[in-house]
Amino acid sequence: MHVHINAERKEKPLSNIPMTPSGALTAPRQKSNRVGGWLPQNPKLLISWLRDLVAEVNKHKHDASISSLLLSEPVQQLKELIESTAELRMLASGMFDEVPDRAPYNEDPIGNKQIKSYHEMLEMFDFVMNNKAPSWKKLEYDAGLIGFPFNAILDWPMATASGYAFFLKPEVNSKLKYILNTWKSEVLMTAKSQHVITTGEDGWLSQDSLMNIENDTNLTGQELTFQQIFQCDPQADPKHWGFKSWDDFFVRKFKNIDQIRPVAFPGQPEWIANSCESKPFALQSNAQEYDSFWLKGQAYSVSEMLHGHRFAEQFVGGTVYQAFLSATSYHRWSSPVSGKVVHTEVVDGTYFSEPVTKGFTSSEGPDPASPNRVQSYISHIATRAIFFIEAPKPIGLMAAMYIGMADVSSCEILQKFDAKSLPASVEKGEEIGLFHHGGSTHCLLFRQGVNLAFVTGAIPGNREKNLPIRGPLAIAY
């Protein structure tokens, strides 16, 4: 069964609402505050994690006999930026003052906040940046893994009005990029993080972790073990299975991708392959050039998504498909079509921006695992890699976007498709890039006039598991 999207439609664009074959509207059914599994749905677990982090930092200060940590250069630069203007200092202070003194946003029933000021935030940043790699804990994963430690620190402050203004500032995001890149290069990509990739109870190679990864990855009826699915070496390295770091584990490759994830209809250019191992999030037809993507409906605004590129106007009135990657999924990208890559770029953007419609002013309350509920919103402003690919008819020019989310904002385009190497031919299913430090979200954009029939599993809410990478996604006609 396929679901048809007629790109010639002229009615008001649909916001995150797919169409059934009869044209009736159906709302997505996934629980958006659980998507990705990077932060817990239960705020008590987040509070418990923050309490432990604060205690760990305070113990570190006590052992060193200091009242405050000497901040590392990247965090010190953020501190100096905050204190360089009255506006930034007010916003940085206000986003902690505006978090309500009531459960579940405080530490305990008497109203003590976990982190009371941007000074304490900076100390938490510094400690995580220099010391912490996400570890596996089954109790946490059952309710949502805390795999985004920086996001966990900011989860409530970013839901305030001051936090919204603060985290949109380009100069703030420049300093956050320095901090996150330092964390990645000095901890996550080094042996300093290898201790979490073990077979121990809190290790990513523990039986509980492997069971979840295998469950997320066995999508085609096969029941394969982790060792059968991924490149690893438990015999030569029984402790770490050959993984040198957290990042090495999270960018792991399939052992035989052509067997485990065969390319959908390789000789048929009208068939579009799934670009990431992911679960559908949204599908919108008749996307507008400019739209109110920051409001509750979160419509797509293609010019801003595509960073104002000259090709963007070709996608006005077209179709946008978005899907998200989870914490235990495969994190590499494959080309959805064969053809020629004619343009690529990585756009610097925000890391922790949450619109006020999903903050404390929302009738539903703030997203307990932001920015999960606002993936359409972040596709316009977050750090993202953009590909334009010229495919054969009936698809023609299409765009693919791979979007960093919070701590996960390292978008790597493979050298073959670097801007200096273009144009470059690409085959459907060929690897084109990857996320470092886990999963995120991605979008495929098709021009007006390209009629698409999506497989039933591509409709948000129709499938509990991921769609396999390189599998069938849609057919153009």
Side-chain angles (χ1 to χ4, degrees):
M1 176 182 176
H2 298 144
V3 175
H4 297 261
I5 296 292
N6 187 338
E8 302 286 357
R9 296 175 68 92
K10 300 298 182 183
E11 71 269 22
K12 185 177 179 181
L14 307 175
S15 177
N16 300 345
I17 301 176
M19 296 179 60
T20 66
S22 65
L25 303 183
T26 60
R29 294 191 295 271
Q30 78 260 12
K31 296 180 180 179
S32 58
N33 61 340
R34 278 296 299 265
V35 296
W38 283 98
L39 287 180
Q41 180 179 357
N42 184 349
K44 293 181 179 179
L45 289 173
L46 182 60
I47 289 169
S48 176
W49 182 89
L50 276 177
R51 183 187 299 115
D52 291 345
L53 177 63
V54 171
E56 196 172 1
V57 172
N58 288 336
K59 182 180 185 301
H60 180 70
K61 290 192 295 183
H62 179 268
D63 292 345
S65 300
I66 54 177
S67 59
S68 61
L69 293 177
L70 181 64
L71 300 177
S72 304
E73 175 64 19
V75 183
Q76 179 65 26
Q77 284 195 17
L78 177 58
K79 180 179 185 294
E80 291 173 358
L81 174 66
I82 290 171
E83 295 174 350
S84 67
T85 70
E87 179 191 16
L88 287 176
R89 192 169 67 85
M90 284 190 294
L91 292 176
S93 299
M95 66 182 178
F96 290 95
D97 294 339
E98 292 164 21
V99 176
D101 273 327
R102 66 174 187 271
Y105 315 117
N106 47 30
E107 181 182 18
D108 54 45
I110 62 173
N112 295 319
K113 291 182 181 179
Q114 291 282 355
I115 300 175
K116 306 176 186 66
S117 68
Y118 74 83
H119 297 284
E120 293 184 4
M121 173 195 75
L122 293 170
E123 290 187 343
M124 302 302 123
F125 277 9
D126 197 88
F127 189 80
V128 170
M129 186 189 76
N130 287 293
N131 300 282
K132 301 288 282 186
S135 61
W136 169 270
K137 290 186 184 296
K138 186 176 187 297
L139 176 63
E140 291 178 351
Y141 189 81
D142 282 346
L145 172 73
I146 298 179
F148 282 176
F150 288 92
N151 202 159
I153 293 167
L154 298 172
D155 205 44
W156 301 134
M158 65 192 279
T160 65
S162 289
Y164 177 58
F166 182 78
F167 290 113
L168 281 175
K169 299 285 186 182
E171 62 270 34
V172 170
N173 284 290
S174 176
K175 302 304 181 187
L176 290 171
K177 179 180 179 179
Y178 186 16
I179 291 170
L180 293 173
N181 282 349
T182 301
W183 183 46
K184 182 184 72 172
S185 63
E186 296 188 5
V187 177
L188 300 183
M189 299 184 78
T190 72
K192 199 171 184 178
S193 62
Q194 195 181 31
H195 69 280
V196 301
I197 312 300
T198 68
T199 57
E201 184 178 348
D202 291 345
W204 284 92
L205 301 175
S206 67
Q207 288 303 307
D208 285 331
S209 172
L210 295 179
M211 182 178 65
N212 279 276
I213 294 171
E214 290 162 3
N215 183 59
D216 278 355
T217 312
N218 284 317
L219 304 174
T220 58
Q222 294 177 299
E223 292 298 329
L224 304 176
T225 65
F226 183 97
Q227 297 96 313
Q228 293 171 320
I229 298 168
F230 297 106
Q231 296 178 17
C232 59
D233 196 350
Q235 284 73 38
D237 182 9
K239 188 173 183 180
H240 305 294
W241 292 17
F243 297 111
K244 306 301 183 185
S245 66
W246 158 272
D247 184 74
D248 191 29
F249 174 76
F250 263 81
V251 300
R252 62 191 178 272
K253 291 185 175 183
F254 285 124
K255 184 167 285 187
N256 186 340
I257 192 168
D258 289 329
Q259 181 180 359
I260 293 175
R261 295 292 186 266
V263 177
F265 306 103
Q268 300 181 40
E270 68 273 20
W271 271 99
I272 299 151
N274 191 28
S275 189
C276 291
E277 194 103 333
S278 52
K279 187 178 292 186
F281 178 79
L283 181 61
Q284 179 180 317
S285 64
N286 196 18
Q288 299 300 292
E289 182 175 14
Y290 293 99
D291 215 327
S292 301
F293 65 86
W294 57 90
L295 297 181
K296 190 171 183 179
Q298 293 180 45
Y300 290 103
S301 179
V302 296
S303 182
E304 286 149 325
M305 292 175 74
L306 298 174
H307 201 223
H309 192 276
R310 61 187 177 87
F311 291 156
E313 63 182 17
Q314 298 188 43
F315 296 89
V316 177
T319 301
V320 180
Y321 168 81
Q322 184 168 5
F324 60 88
L325 293 78
S326 66
T328 51
S329 295
Y330 190 69
H331 308 294
R332 294 172 178 267
W333 324 327
S334 292
S335 178
V337 294
S338 295
K340 186 179 293 183
V341 178
V342 295
H343 177 83
T344 61
E345 62 179 302
V346 175
V347 179
D348 284 340
T350 64
Y351 296 95
F352 301 104
S353 182
E354 178 181 7
V356 292
T357 54
K358 292 296 181 181
F360 284 105
T361 60
S362 168
S363 59
E364 301 172 339
D367 184 352
S370 185
N372 279 335
R373 289 178 181 167
V374 292
Q375 291 187 51
S376 302
Y377 165 80
I378 65 171
S379 69
H380 301 79
I381 62 168
T383 298
R384 57 204 184 274
I386 301 174
F387 285 70
F388 288 101
I389 306 172
E390 186 68 54
K393 292 181 179 179
I395 297 170
L397 185 69
M398 66 157 298
M401 290 176 45
Y402 306 91
I403 304 150
M405 185 161 62
D407 301 22
V408 178
S409 295
S410 295
C411 304
E412 179 185 346
I413 295 172
L414 295 190
Q415 186 175 359
K416 176 182 175 180
F417 305 107
D418 183 86
K420 296 177 182 178
S421 306
L422 301 181
S425 62
V426 68
E427 294 296 322
K428 180 163 57 176
E430 181 179 353
E431 186 174 310
I432 58 176
L434 64 156
F435 290 116
H436 288 276
H437 177 199
S440 196
T441 186
H442 77 290
C443 295
L444 301 180
L445 293 87
F446 302 91
R447 297 172 305 143
Q448 184 179 27
V450 177
N451 297 310
L452 299 165
F454 283 83
V455 299
T456 304
I459 304 305
N462 275 7
R463 185 178 172 93
E464 290 300 318
K465 284 196 168 188
N466 289 333
L467 286 176
I469 190 171
R470 312 208 309 173
L473 182 72
I475 186 172
Y477 61 97

